Amino acid sequence: MTTGYFRNALRCLAIGAAACLAQTAAGEYVPSPEVLESRERFADDRFGIFLHWGIYSMFGQGEWYLNYGPKAEEYVKAAKGFYPARFNAAEWVGAIKDAGAKYICITTRHHDGFSMWHTAENDYNIVDGTPFGRDILKELSEECARQGIALHLYYSHLDWVRDDYPQGRTGHTTGRDASKADWNSYYGFMNRQLKELLTGYGPIRAIWFDGWWDHDEDATPFGWQLPEQYEMIHRLQPSCMVANNHHQSPFPGEDIQIFERDLPGENTAGLSGQEVSRLPLETCNTMNGMWGYKILDQNYKDSRTLIRYLVKAAGMGANLLLNIGPQPDGSLPAAALSRLKEIGNWLHENGETIYATEAGPFPAQSWGTSTRKGNRLFLHVMTPESDAILIPENVKIKKAKEFATGKALKVSKAGSHHVVHLPATGDVDDLIIECETYD
Ligand code: GLC
């Protein structure tokens, strides 16, 4: 993967910017050197936190609440009562940083159309439309810059409130006037908003789109005009990556391949199963069941499950974007904070085997998975089946040691396979064995 980026970048530099532009005009997306650099940094990060926060949080029923009955004209009144008195960007970013996460992706505008920044496009936003009156995105972006956390912005392509958004598969009961659908008006609105986001909030490392599936090929054929939009993003901030949660193989102009609620190549949630591309990969998933704050959803995965999920993602060369739904008062749920702390403790000890690693040289095995850095191979043994593990044939082990203690471990042979003998340990989240491999 890594070499691919550099090859592209070098090629781009070698053939010169003009030729690159010509190629883009001819339809091929040639990522800029700045974007290639962002991809590298992103792929090294391995762990980010997703934040689903908006006026939907006030209803405590998840971010899709508007889709399930309320009329938009009633729903939007919630904005007038939104006063998240406990919002503190420094505390959010601090807790996320201590968890070992390297970036944040926040919902700037979800399907309910409410803007969490001071947009000039309408008053339905955090500054003009609420008594709170503070631009939380400004505060968050400044805090991210201060604490060295990269910022990605979620932006919904679909809108359940605006009449000019041509109605798709969802949001049919919100009372929009479908006769007023006007794609050009809506597209212009989105692009002006994206421009605000990309010019007023410092470096944005990625725009994370969602909602394309509202008009996918199975529904009405629809021209989303993505190439021009992506080009605008890359022009406004040359290092900004584009990601789109469309549940398809990546489209030209995209820099990240997203998987929702599944590891790359898996499809337990029914949204994935796309071929895994050579782009940097990201799996997003929830800590409990819902993205936005949901009062009835206290079914949080324990930190062992979350740590193992992060390890499994890394073993596939993917980042984990783990979601938190902040509460209506602006604080992060205690259940989420305690998990952040535990993941942070674990990464503090073991981050070297996760950050800036590549996928292991073989697929996940029944005992666990692996990551690597050059000829340092990290075996992540999560469910040992005996006191030794048989290494897939393609990998030859020179020596092995327990990562936590440095204690040397025996390596033997079984036919053409190498066998690594495990140390006696108690119940651990992930027994890590560091091996040196033959090249
Ligand atoms: C889905 C949902 C949305 C959520 C997103 C996160 O597309 O529509 O509510 O924001 O997934 O991955």
Side-chain angles (χ1 to χ4, degrees), residues 50-66 68 75 82 84 86 92 107 110 112 116 261 286-300 323-336:
F50 214 169
L51 294 169
H52 273 72
W53 197 44
I55 59 168
Y56 47 79
S57 313
M58 297 175 76
F59 300 102
Q61 307 205 45
E63 79 288 357
W64 271 62
Y65 178 57
L66 174 57
Y68 299 122
Y75 177 95
F82 195 42
R86 297 181 63 202
W92 279 20
T107 50
H110 206 270
D112 68 358
M116 294 293 277
R261 294 184 188 271
T286 50
M287 273 197 193
N288 44 354
M290 199 70 200
W291 303 96
Y293 175 66
K294 186 173 176 187
I295 212 160
L296 286 178
D297 181 11
Q298 296 305 322
N299 191 17
Y300 278 75
N323 184 72
I324 298 175
Q327 297 170 145
D329 67 358
S331 60
L332 303 180

Side-chain angles (χ1 to χ4, degrees), residues 58 76-84 129-132:
M58 297 175 76
V76 301
K77 292 179 185 169
K80 294 279 176 249
F82 195 42
Y83 197 93
T130 75
F132 193 55

Side-chain angles (χ1 to χ4, degrees), residues 38-39 42 103 152 205-208 241-246 250-251 253-259 277 279-283 319:
S38 295
R39 289 185 187 183
F42 170 73
Y103 63 101
H152 297 191
R205 199 173 62 174
I207 296 289
W208 204 102
M241 300 179 288
V242 172
N244 193 329
N245 185 33
H246 43 44
F251 301 159
E254 295 172 4
D255 302 297
I256 298 172
Q257 182 173 14
I258 299 173
F259 297 85
S277 76
L279 292 180
L281 311 173
E282 182 184 67
T283 282
N319 287 15

